[in-house]
Amino acid sequence: NIKLVVNLIPFNSIERSAFVTPSPERVRAFQNVLLQHNIRTHVRTTRGDDESSACGQLATIVAKEQRKEQQQQQRAKEATNSTSSTLQP
C-alpha cells in the first residue's frame, strides 16, 4: 500500500519539437486510465505558456538566441576575412 499522487503536467509545445500540447480531453482520458488502476492523480494547471516561459520553453528560447548570436559572429568574421583578403597586394 504505497500512497502516491501522480501529477499530470500537460506538455507545452515548443519550437522544433515533435511533441504537441495534448487536448484537455486527452489529458482527462489518460487521467481516467490511471484512476481505473486506483492511482490518484492531479492535473496541474499550465502556467507561463503565454509568455514562452513554461517548462522547456525557456531553454529553447535561450538556445535560439545563442544560435542567432553565433551566426552573427560567423557572418562578421567572414566579412572581416573577405575584406582583409581583398586589401592584400
Side-chain angles (χ1 to χ4, degrees), residues 73-85:
Q73 290 173 350
Q74 182 64 31
R75 282 194 290 270
K77 183 178 177 181
E78 290 170 357
T80 301
N81 290 341
S82 174
T83 304
S84 64
S85 67

Side-chain angles (χ1 to χ4, degrees), residues 6-68:
V6 174
N7 285 311
L8 301 174
I9 305 171
F11 180 82
N12 288 300
S13 296
I14 55 175
E15 209 175 295
R16 296 183 180 193
S17 173
F19 302 104
V20 295
T21 303
S23 68
E25 294 80 17
R26 189 163 173 96
V27 173
R28 277 193 298 277
F30 183 64
Q31 182 183 32
N32 286 333
V33 169
L34 296 175
L35 292 171
Q36 289 170 1
H37 289 89
N38 297 317
I39 299 172
R40 293 175 49 203
T41 63
H42 176 73
V43 178
R44 300 279 301 269
T45 303
T46 59
R47 296 184 184 144
D49 52 335
D50 58 331
E51 299 172 5
S52 294
S53 59
C55 183
Q57 292 177 322
L58 285 177
T60 300
I61 290 169
V62 169
K64 185 176 181 180
E65 289 174 359
Q66 288 173 341
R67 280 193 305 274
K68 184 177 178 181

